[in-house]
Amino acid sequence: MLRFIVKRLLWMVPSLIVVSFLAFVLIQLPPGDFVTTYIATLAASNEVVDQNTAADLRVRFGLDQPMIVQYFKWISGIVLRGDFGLSFEWQQPVSDLIWERMALTLVLTFSTLLATWGIALPIGVFSAVKKYSIGDYIVTFFSFLGLAIPSFLLALVLMYVAAVEFGQEVGGLFSEQYLTAPWSIGKVIDLLQHLWIPVIILAVSGTASLIRVMRANMLDELNRPYVTTARAKGLSEFHLLVKYPVRLALNPFISTISWLLPNLVSGSIIVAIVLSLPTAGPLLLQSLMSQDMYLAGAFVLLICALTLIGSLISDILLALVDPRIRLE
Amino acid sequence: MSRDTEHGPGERRGLDRRDMLKGLAGAAALSAIPHAASAQTAKEAPALAKLAAEGKLPPLAERVSANPLVIAVEKVGRYGGSLRRGLRGSSDHNGILRMVGNQGLVRWNLAFTEVLPNVADKWEVNPNSTEFTFYLRKGMKWSDGKPFTADDIVFSIEDCAKNTELYKSPPSPIVISGQAGTATKIDETTVKFTFASPYALFLEQMATPLGQHPTLFAKHYCSQFHPKYNPGVADLVKAANLSDWGTLFRNKCGDIEIPSRWGNADKPTLDPWVIKEPYTGGATRVVMERNPYFWQVDSVGNQLPYIDRLTFSISQDVESLMLDAISGRLDIQERHLDTLQNKPTLSQNMQKGGYRLIELVNSSSQQVQIYLNMTHKDAKMREMFANKEFRKALSLGMNRKEIIDLVYLGQSEPHQTGPRPGHPWYHEGLSKQFTDFDPGQANAILDKLGYAKKDAGGIRLRPDGQKVFFAIDVIPTLYPDEVDALELVKRHWAEIGVDIKVNTIERALYYTRGDNNDHDAAVWPGPGGLDPMLDPRDYLAQHTQGSRYAIPWAQWYVSSGKDGQEPPESQKQRMKLYDQARATADLQKRGEIMKQVFDLTADAFETIGICLAVNAFGICKNNLQNVPPKYPNAWSWPNPGPALPQQFFFAT
């Protein structure tokens, strides 16, 4: 097992290098560069960049150099000095911009994950066990509804109702007085008070699809001979369900953990934008749109690293949960 | 040309544009609230008075200058309150600039017609407009309490703007005929700008946002990041983990239009409010608080600003900004909301949100300007586009009335380009030629041009057998109305046998195609309606990104003939005339020269316009006072800044 983990960890290094190069190329593929986008963005408000300044910017940001040179400057900074470069747009070190947002993103996504699983798994089990009952139909109806409503629309509707009908402010993760305050118990409580809205919005669609997956998996397992055997041996129904079929039905959930981590960053972008959440998503989108290469590159690199780590975790967990899977 | 106070009688010569924007000039008179604050006796905000009494701040007299700028307010206001505005997440630094960063040497009047004293108390210009002497206010202070003097201006220009390590080429507003001007200190409060050739437009340029360099950098603060004054700057660069001193300097002192201008709370400024919570990559809001050393007072001597603080919330999404607006959480906002599509929603919710609408006079001339690329890389296309008769036929072949009614809800009139109606330089011929809808004549012209043969679909064929077809680049995310207008134009032109493709593209691609001269044609709102001197790109090829009918000609002009392509005679004449106008201080004479430019532009008929640019609007909370009900909407007049937000106040 340990050997397997070490081997996997070593493989990550070349993977990351390849991925970082591809990411850099991809970010550069759209026409124009940061300066073009910068000029275009300002032009959108009929604002003008001094033409001398525009030419200046390209030289200052090294955009006049070949891409391969820019790439090596960037990657050697990361590898040698842990320096992710300077964001063009903000003229701030990229690492300053990324970490706090990543932390909040982690909080949001893990809360969403817990909520999603907490709701979806019992309901999925229930609707499989009570197949074609009234309860199953009701749950199924709502889960399809949840699946059909885009989360950003739900967020917009919620915001509209809250703002126009109740005069409440929905959006953001903190109240006014805690926005820039240092971390404290009060701030954490304030965060929790705001967190549940995006968590519910994000959980709605995730829950729906998970219920369907869980239901289908359970149905597969419920008719297996080992269930019949266990039942014949007089195991209590609840004990039986939890001990065998549920455990096996969880298999697909565990193998999707590797997608889950990158989803941390990219999954909730639109909702985060609508609700003005200070998470990583909006910043990533923004940096891609403005072709702020170093900032976008750092995010993409981070997402790739998370994917690799996630697939490692899911492999390990699978081996632990499912005795049919062997690492060698 | 010198003026002592802004409300002096100020005899104006010749071109009085007062009529043009009558609503603007008498703006505040329309306010319906009775004079309420006459009992005001305080000379400074209560919070500042308290600090001064405790000895934490010098007394008011030592903070404002001996001759502060006196603003003739409509109503004397009361202190207090927090003004809320919205910013977008990315590259919206100019949203802050427009509100507070308007403190150049001089500023615009409300009607956008005349330059008034600001940081400079008065000025003198020599007869041939090569020397400008500015007299500063005695005892004026930066926001940290350090004196503001001529040294600061000389430092900003000579050591910063003209430093090739900081600016590869000096900012255009201080350059004329390829040479940057020189700033010289005469005494503590007098500074002289000298140019190699006449530059009468210098004062107007200094009133625009891009002309703020002279007052941008505080010498006592910014010189610590400058190697000329601090030999140890390399250590600072290293400590900040940056690559060179230029980056460090920009991080700390900013530049006119970059986010980091609002990212450092320690930087001294001359603005009415100073940064408390900076605009950085991770920020969800920006907060500014009053500058205790602000150098402007109202007509009874109260120090401005009236409002304690500004809060800019940062939304990633315009829709959530709309929600803020209709639920009354924005006090004054036009940025990002002012599209025609939003107007019905915002009008409907006026009562619920407790706001009123203010009218913003569009400074542009043209709502949809069609630029056929007259320097097209393909010779056949070039020949077609360069023919004035062809363009005339296209212009006659479009039904402007239908476009105005359907797309612009009837709120415009057929118009080509040129200064807006009511502007003293309004040019009937330029603005109205070929705006009738006359498909018969259009067809006749096209037949005569040799495009008489048609294919099975009714599209005309060129003599070489190719269809008369071209693509028009448009950015749907930016100007959805232009796409709608073009779709109608496509139908109109199909009737006269001309086929176009409405080429909807992303905006960076739009610019790249323009830069590379790869486009057949493009649309953009045509500027130059209220600011024909500052943005004449549609009157002559002068803007290397904006003169999209012939970018290589603009490159030729800007580089004095080194790059680009040599333009035809009519263009060369206009370029010469425009240079001449820029050097002419006398508005009357300048107008006469520009008339010749407009005559030539009308005769050349290079761009095809559809209709007059539609006015924009903004929302303003009902209890926010001293806000003019109507003012220009422009970048050169960076609204609402020149309407002086420092004299806005909240009535209870």
Side-chain angles (χ1 to χ4, degrees), chain A residues 27 34 37 87-90 94 97-98 280-300, chain B residues 90 316:
Chain A
I27 294 167
F34 173 73
T37 329
S87 155
F88 292 157
E89 185 160 19
W90 300 101
V94 165
L97 293 175
I98 284 189
L283 201 59
L284 167 64
L285 182 69
Q286 213 179 84
S287 60
L288 283 173
M289 288 202 307
S290 62
Q291 306 201 26
D292 192 345
M293 282 177 335
Y294 296 155
L295 186 55
F299 269 121
V300 173
Chain B
S90 180
Q316 301 294 338

Side-chain angles (χ1 to χ4, degrees), chain B residues 599-613:
Chain B
D599 286 342
L600 286 165
T601 309
D603 188 50
F605 188 55
E606 283 134 343
T607 62
I608 304 171
I610 294 180
C611 61
L612 191 68

Side-chain angles (χ1 to χ4, degrees), chain A residues 176 179, chain B residues 82-88 92-101 262 273-279 283-289 309-315 321 324 329-330 332-335 640 645:
Chain A
E176 196 76 17
L179 257 182
Chain B
S82 175
L83 188 139
R84 297 159 299 175
R85 262 171 91 78
L87 293 176
R88 243 177 13 189
D92 207 11
H93 41 274
N94 285 349
I96 310 177
L97 177 151
R98 282 167 168 267
M99 194 69 185
V100 308
W262 315 105
W273 294 274
V274 293
I275 283 286
K276 268 283 163 321
E277 289 178 23
Y279 185 49
T284 50
R285 67 168 187 185
V286 176
V287 176
M288 305 187 83
E289 276 177 11
R309 46 191 241 149
L310 306 179
T311 315
F312 298 86
S313 57
I314 298 178
S315 314
L321 211 56
D324 282 348
R329 285 198 300 268
L330 297 173
I332 182 166
Q333 181 90 24
E334 63 300 294
R335 206 171 164 79

Side-chain angles (χ1 to χ4, degrees), chain A residues 147-224:
Chain A
L147 205 58
I149 300 174
S151 357
F152 79 91
L153 193 67
L154 193 63
L156 268 181
V157 170
L158 256 178
M159 276 177 79
Y160 180 80
V161 172
V164 175
E165 301 302 325
F166 300 104
Q168 286 281 317
E169 193 164 356
V170 177
L173 284 178
F174 301 101
S175 330
E176 196 76 17
Q177 71 264 34
Y178 285 112
L179 257 182
T180 50
W183 281 101
S184 62
I185 303 284
K187 188 165 181 174
V188 172
I189 294 172
D190 186 61
L191 173 64
L192 293 180
Q193 279 169 351
H194 284 82
L195 197 61
W196 64 274
I197 297 170
V199 164
I200 287 184
I201 292 170
L202 288 171
V204 163
S205 61
T207 306
S209 58
L210 274 189
I211 290 176
R212 300 308 294 167
V213 175
M214 191 66 196
R215 184 176 182 273
N217 286 336
M218 280 296 286
L219 287 178
D220 277 353
E221 296 298 328
L222 282 177
N223 296 325
R224 293 284 164 85

Side-chain angles (χ1 to χ4, degrees), chain A residues 21-82:
Chain A
F21 182 71
L22 284 180
F24 203 77
V25 174
L26 276 177
I27 294 167
Q28 297 240 32
L29 269 187
D33 52 29
F34 173 73
V35 178
T36 326
T37 329
Y38 174 72
I39 294 170
T41 313
L42 290 186
S45 321
N46 269 320
E47 282 149 23
V48 184
V49 180
D50 186 345
Q51 293 181 33
N52 288 349
T53 312
D56 242 35
L57 283 174
R58 282 211 171 83
V59 178
R60 201 188 318 146
F61 294 151
L63 294 171
D64 52 341
Q65 290 164 343
M67 190 171 70
I68 195 85
V69 176
Q70 296 183 41
Y71 171 74
F72 274 108
K73 257 170 78 178
W74 178 62
I75 200 74
S76 61
I78 296 176
V79 175
L80 300 177
R81 285 172 276 126

